[in-house]
PDB file of all heavy atoms in Angstrom:
ATOM      1  N   ASN K 200      46.794 162.176  11.825  1.00  0.00           N
ATOM      2  CA  ASN K 200      46.156 162.453  13.109  1.00  0.00           C
ATOM      3  C   ASN K 200      46.522 161.423  14.166  1.00  0.00           C
ATOM      4  O   ASN K 200      46.375 161.683  15.365  1.00  0.00           O
ATOM      5  CB  ASN K 200      44.629 162.458  12.956  1.00  0.00           C
ATOM      6  CG  ASN K 200      44.147 163.595  12.078  1.00  0.00           C
ATOM      7  OD1 ASN K 200      44.869 164.560  11.852  1.00  0.00           O
ATOM      8  ND2 ASN K 200      42.932 163.490  11.583  1.00  0.00           N
ATOM      9  N   ALA K 201      46.988 160.248  13.717  1.00  0.00           N
ATOM     10  CA  ALA K 201      47.306 159.176  14.662  1.00  0.00           C
ATOM     11  C   ALA K 201      48.726 159.286  15.207  1.00  0.00           C
ATOM     12  O   ALA K 201      49.073 158.583  16.157  1.00  0.00           O
ATOM     13  CB  ALA K 201      47.128 157.816  13.982  1.00  0.00           C
ATOM     14  N   PHE K 202      49.554 160.162  14.641  1.00  0.00           N
ATOM     15  CA  PHE K 202      50.927 160.300  15.124  1.00  0.00           C
ATOM     16  C   PHE K 202      50.928 161.116  16.416  1.00  0.00           C
ATOM     17  O   PHE K 202      50.350 162.212  16.460  1.00  0.00           O
ATOM     18  CB  PHE K 202      51.804 160.983  14.083  1.00  0.00           C
ATOM     19  CG  PHE K 202      52.039 160.156  12.854  1.00  0.00           C
ATOM     20  CD1 PHE K 202      52.440 160.750  11.669  1.00  0.00           C
ATOM     21  CD2 PHE K 202      51.864 158.790  12.872  1.00  0.00           C
ATOM     22  CE1 PHE K 202      52.661 159.989  10.535  1.00  0.00           C
ATOM     23  CE2 PHE K 202      52.086 158.020  11.743  1.00  0.00           C
ATOM     24  CZ  PHE K 202      52.490 158.623  10.568  1.00  0.00           C
ATOM     25  N   PRO K 203      51.577 160.637  17.447  1.00  0.00           N
ATOM     26  CA  PRO K 203      51.502 161.302  18.757  1.00  0.00           C
ATOM     27  C   PRO K 203      52.532 162.404  18.948  1.00  0.00           C
ATOM     28  O   PRO K 203      53.537 162.479  18.222  1.00  0.00           O
ATOM     29  CB  PRO K 203      51.773 160.147  19.721  1.00  0.00           C
ATOM     30  CG  PRO K 203      52.732 159.274  18.958  1.00  0.00           C
ATOM     31  CD  PRO K 203      52.316 159.372  17.512  1.00  0.00           C
ATOM     32  N   GLY K 204      52.268 163.238  19.948  1.00  0.00           N
ATOM     33  CA  GLY K 204      53.253 164.178  20.453  1.00  0.00           C
ATOM     34  C   GLY K 204      53.753 165.195  19.462  1.00  0.00           C
ATOM     35  O   GLY K 204      53.080 165.565  18.495  1.00  0.00           O
ATOM     36  N   ALA K 205      54.979 165.657  19.703  1.00  0.00           N
ATOM     37  CA  ALA K 205      55.579 166.717  18.894  1.00  0.00           C
ATOM     38  C   ALA K 205      55.775 166.270  17.445  1.00  0.00           C
ATOM     39  O   ALA K 205      55.621 167.067  16.522  1.00  0.00           O
ATOM     40  CB  ALA K 205      56.918 167.137  19.495  1.00  0.00           C
ATOM     41  N   PHE K 206      56.104 164.985  17.262  1.00  0.00           N
ATOM     42  CA  PHE K 206      56.288 164.495  15.897  1.00  0.00           C
ATOM     43  C   PHE K 206      54.996 164.629  15.100  1.00  0.00           C
ATOM     44  O   PHE K 206      55.005 165.044  13.939  1.00  0.00           O
ATOM     45  CB  PHE K 206      56.745 163.035  15.915  1.00  0.00           C
ATOM     46  CG  PHE K 206      56.975 162.463  14.544  1.00  0.00           C
ATOM     47  CD1 PHE K 206      58.081 162.835  13.800  1.00  0.00           C
ATOM     48  CD2 PHE K 206      56.075 161.561  13.991  1.00  0.00           C
ATOM     49  CE1 PHE K 206      58.293 162.317  12.532  1.00  0.00           C
ATOM     50  CE2 PHE K 206      56.280 161.039  12.728  1.00  0.00           C
ATOM     51  CZ  PHE K 206      57.390 161.413  11.995  1.00  0.00           C
ATOM     52  N   GLY K 207      53.877 164.278  15.713  1.00  0.00           N
ATOM     53  CA  GLY K 207      52.590 164.406  15.044  1.00  0.00           C
ATOM     54  C   GLY K 207      52.271 165.851  14.702  1.00  0.00           C
ATOM     55  O   GLY K 207      51.735 166.145  13.628  1.00  0.00           O
ATOM     56  N   GLU K 208      52.604 166.762  15.609  1.00  0.00           N
ATOM     57  CA  GLU K 208      52.352 168.179  15.345  1.00  0.00           C
ATOM     58  C   GLU K 208      53.177 168.679  14.161  1.00  0.00           C
ATOM     59  O   GLU K 208      52.706 169.500  13.370  1.00  0.00           O
ATOM     60  CB  GLU K 208      52.672 168.999  16.596  1.00  0.00           C
ATOM     61  CG  GLU K 208      51.731 168.716  17.767  1.00  0.00           C
ATOM     62  CD  GLU K 208      52.119 169.484  19.015  1.00  0.00           C
ATOM     63  OE1 GLU K 208      53.067 170.299  18.933  1.00  0.00           O
ATOM     64  OE2 GLU K 208      51.483 169.284  20.063  1.00  0.00           O
ATOM     65  N   VAL K 209      54.394 168.178  14.033  1.00  0.00           N
ATOM     66  CA  VAL K 209      55.266 168.603  12.929  1.00  0.00           C
ATOM     67  C   VAL K 209      54.749 168.084  11.596  1.00  0.00           C
ATOM     68  O   VAL K 209      54.611 168.849  10.631  1.00  0.00           O
ATOM     69  CB  VAL K 209      56.716 168.124  13.173  1.00  0.00           C
ATOM     70  CG1 VAL K 209      57.560 168.343  11.918  1.00  0.00           C
ATOM     71  CG2 VAL K 209      57.324 168.866  14.351  1.00  0.00           C
ATOM     72  N   VAL K 210      54.442 166.787  11.517  1.00  0.00           N
ATOM     73  CA  VAL K 210      54.039 166.215  10.232  1.00  0.00           C
ATOM     74  C   VAL K 210      52.708 166.794   9.748  1.00  0.00           C
ATOM     75  O   VAL K 210      52.455 166.846   8.548  1.00  0.00           O
ATOM     76  CB  VAL K 210      53.951 164.670  10.285  1.00  0.00           C
ATOM     77  CG1 VAL K 210      55.313 164.069  10.555  1.00  0.00           C
ATOM     78  CG2 VAL K 210      52.932 164.200  11.306  1.00  0.00           C
ATOM     79  N   ARG K 211      51.878 167.259  10.674  1.00  0.00           N
ATOM     80  CA  ARG K 211      50.574 167.802  10.279  1.00  0.00           C
ATOM     81  C   ARG K 211      50.659 169.223   9.732  1.00  0.00           C
ATOM     82  O   ARG K 211      49.665 169.737   9.198  1.00  0.00           O
ATOM     83  CB  ARG K 211      49.598 167.734  11.455  1.00  0.00           C
ATOM     84  CG  ARG K 211      49.092 166.324  11.732  1.00  0.00           C
ATOM     85  CD  ARG K 211      47.961 166.311  12.734  1.00  0.00           C
ATOM     86  NE  ARG K 211      48.394 166.637  14.085  1.00  0.00           N
ATOM     87  CZ  ARG K 211      48.825 165.737  14.966  1.00  0.00           C
ATOM     88  NH1 ARG K 211      48.904 164.459  14.618  1.00  0.00           N
ATOM     89  NH2 ARG K 211      49.178 166.106  16.182  1.00  0.00           N
ATOM     90  N   VAL K 212      51.815 169.865   9.847  1.00  0.00           N
ATOM     91  CA  VAL K 212      51.968 171.202   9.261  1.00  0.00           C
ATOM     92  C   VAL K 212      52.887 171.192   8.042  1.00  0.00           C
ATOM     93  O   VAL K 212      53.120 172.242   7.439  1.00  0.00           O
ATOM     94  CB  VAL K 212      52.490 172.222  10.304  1.00  0.00           C
ATOM     95  CG1 VAL K 212      51.508 172.364  11.440  1.00  0.00           C
ATOM     96  CG2 VAL K 212      53.876 171.842  10.823  1.00  0.00           C
ATOM     97  N   LEU K 213      53.408 170.027   7.660  1.00  0.00           N
ATOM     98  CA  LEU K 213      54.221 169.922   6.453  1.00  0.00           C
ATOM     99  C   LEU K 213      53.318 169.942   5.220  1.00  0.00           C
ATOM    100  O   LEU K 213      52.130 169.616   5.302  1.00  0.00           O
ATOM    101  CB  LEU K 213      55.044 168.632   6.493  1.00  0.00           C
ATOM    102  CG  LEU K 213      56.109 168.535   7.598  1.00  0.00           C
ATOM    103  CD1 LEU K 213      56.793 167.167   7.550  1.00  0.00           C
ATOM    104  CD2 LEU K 213      57.126 169.652   7.471  1.00  0.00           C
ATOM    105  N   PRO K 214      53.852 170.310   4.061  1.00  0.00           N
ATOM    106  CA  PRO K 214      52.999 170.431   2.870  1.00  0.00           C
ATOM    107  C   PRO K 214      52.343 169.139   2.429  1.00  0.00           C
ATOM    108  O   PRO K 214      51.276 169.164   1.817  1.00  0.00           O
ATOM    109  CB  PRO K 214      53.964 170.960   1.797  1.00  0.00           C
ATOM    110  CG  PRO K 214      55.339 170.638   2.289  1.00  0.00           C
ATOM    111  CD  PRO K 214      55.247 170.732   3.776  1.00  0.00           C
ATOM    112  N   TRP K 215      52.964 167.982   2.741  1.00  0.00           N
ATOM    113  CA  TRP K 215      52.368 166.708   2.337  1.00  0.00           C
ATOM    114  C   TRP K 215      51.005 166.479   3.000  1.00  0.00           C
ATOM    115  O   TRP K 215      50.174 165.752   2.475  1.00  0.00           O
ATOM    116  CB  TRP K 215      53.312 165.554   2.672  1.00  0.00           C
ATOM    117  CG  TRP K 215      54.514 165.508   1.801  1.00  0.00           C
ATOM    118  CD1 TRP K 215      54.632 164.942   0.559  1.00  0.00           C
ATOM    119  CD2 TRP K 215      55.804 166.065   2.104  1.00  0.00           C
ATOM    120  NE1 TRP K 215      55.896 165.107   0.064  1.00  0.00           N
ATOM    121  CE2 TRP K 215      56.647 165.791   0.984  1.00  0.00           C
ATOM    122  CE3 TRP K 215      56.336 166.752   3.186  1.00  0.00           C
ATOM    123  CZ2 TRP K 215      57.978 166.193   0.951  1.00  0.00           C
ATOM    124  CZ3 TRP K 215      57.658 167.161   3.143  1.00  0.00           C
ATOM    125  CH2 TRP K 215      58.460 166.875   2.040  1.00  0.00           C
ATOM    126  N   ALA K 216      50.781 167.104   4.161  1.00  0.00           N
ATOM    127  CA  ALA K 216      49.487 166.965   4.836  1.00  0.00           C
ATOM    128  C   ALA K 216      48.349 167.533   4.002  1.00  0.00           C
ATOM    129  O   ALA K 216      47.188 167.162   4.177  1.00  0.00           O
ATOM    130  CB  ALA K 216      49.532 167.659   6.201  1.00  0.00           C
ATOM    131  N   ALA K 217      48.672 168.440   3.082  1.00  0.00           N
ATOM    132  CA  ALA K 217      47.648 169.044   2.217  1.00  0.00           C
ATOM    133  C   ALA K 217      47.166 168.083   1.144  1.00  0.00           C
ATOM    134  O   ALA K 217      46.144 168.333   0.504  1.00  0.00           O
ATOM    135  CB  ALA K 217      48.210 170.309   1.561  1.00  0.00           C
TER     136      ALA K 217
END
Side-chain angles (χ1 to χ4, degrees):
N200 294 342
F202 292 160
F206 181 73
E208 294 177 5
V209 170
V210 296
R211 286 190 289 271
V212 298
L213 295 177
W215 289 276

